Amino acid sequence: MQHCFAVDLSQIPGDIVFHAAAPTTPCVWDIPSNEMLTSRPFHVEHRNIVENDPSERVSAEASVLSSRVHYYSRLTASSDRLLSPPDHVIPCQEELYVYSPLGMAFKVTGGDGGAKNPSIITIFAIWNTMMGTSILSIPWGIKQAGFTLGIILLISMGLLTLYCCLRVLKSPKSIPYIDTSDWEFPDVCKYYFGKFGQWSSLVFSMVSLIGAMVVYWVLMSNFLFNTGKFIYNYAHNVSMSDTEFGTNGSERVICPFPDTGDHRGNCSSGISDTAVFDRWWSKTNTIPFYLIILLLPLLNFRSASFFARFTFLGTISVVYLLILVTLKAIRLGFHLEFHWLESTQFYVPEFRLLFPQLTGVLTLAFFIHNCIITLMKSNKHQENNVRDLSVAYLLVGLTYLYVGVLIFSTFPSPPLSKDCIEPNFLDNFPSSDVLVFVARTCLLFQMTTVYPLLGYLVRVQMMSQVFGKHYPSFFHVFTLNIFIVGTGVCMAKYYPNIGSIIRYSGATCGLALVFVFPSLVHMISQKRRGELSWPSAIFHSLLIVLGVANVAGQFFM
């Protein structure tokens, strides 16, 4: 007995048809019942077949069936199944050919032609994608929430965002009678909510991307400033130990703003020999503008394929950060005291009302919802998608927990207060620290290559929606890039607090793409199938409420 498979006509251009030699034995259909309505086989008489005898002909019935299929295709749209051709037996996969308008036919080998990755590769691809700049702000977020509450929130937000990500991953499969194999989540939003869903998902996706680019600009200004300062001080034998408030010894930890907590400027050494250097090499007044010379031309490239070659640097940077945190923890030791509700001179309480600042950071830290469908398509074993995504989230959560707990626990209190932990924890180490200098240099180079990629994603998504082209003209692209760069420069000059930028952008984009849309799509899908229950409706409604409260908390806490 031979086995056959079906072809989805809705995905085949009108100029491409199929041919197969008539089978000598009957075929057995291997078609799931839920796919019977979307898969329609048909035959067509061939012209020239590659590596086969072109004189062979199929039966007249096959040729007639081909004509009927083309007739049906002109009666109705591909998404309308009312006038679809009926199911018939077709030849086996070994005898099926694809015929092109160029007059050649190629044998179908079966299976998916795209490269598939094993589960371990998929897991670490997700881990590498999520490991971004948020990792630098996790210790600061734990400090804002309190040590105990911070750990609880990190675990809870990881579980909630994982569940919502699973809802996004499964959302295309819940749509019946339509082939959604190449759909992304914005397409799902458009199906359920029309133009509003399409444009709102685009807007919130832009918030996450542009927010990340702003954070990158602030961090690149920071890293370039400290890298240049390290080189200058080393070349001129300048010591900054007497001008920075911090601990003594070989493992120095500093508190850049011990009195006011103001993050708007950089500390000036006050040394006359460095006055000129400080004036022209300022973290907020000059460095953000220097970056324009380097990065603005890179944003105008038509293709970002060159920069995509350096994405492996992200993994190297994260691994080096983990090694750096481990070495610092070993050398500094642990400094913890538990004060549950009241703060002391050197310690913060375990539970603080500023905890929404951590939830905002974590929303972006665990955010991968706008590209998870694409990432999981390359998984070799699709039946393991839920398991692999869960393992990836576990690894991401453990990485954040490791960095956040170690930096907070080993921060030397006393003599420094835990409130001195900066939104970028690398700022708590002096520019003369060699290990931190290497970390800053690696991150600077990595972000310089990733920044054009983010700009390319913004351009493609926005221009294709508005103008229908990825590169409508140099003027359009240049104007968009001026806006993006200008936003980054303004934030780096007037508000270079990456913790706050991350939490605002994370809570805003997370409101739609993490909490609201996945929950609404799931409830609507259940409602249409008659499977929506009160517990499910209440739970997913609470998720939406949590998303709204997360945004509100950024402004009132």
Side-chain angles (χ1 to χ4, degrees), residues 14-33:
D15 292 334
I16 296 182
V17 294
F18 281 92
H19 158 77
T24 57
T25 59
C27 295
V28 175
W29 284 101
D30 290 331
I31 307 177
S33 59

Side-chain angles (χ1 to χ4, degrees), residues 353-354 356-357 503-504 549 551-557:
L353 293 178
L354 297 176
Q357 298 185 10
R503 67 186 179 90
Y504 281 119
V551 175
Q554 309 309 316
F555 297 93
F556 299 106
M557 293 293 186

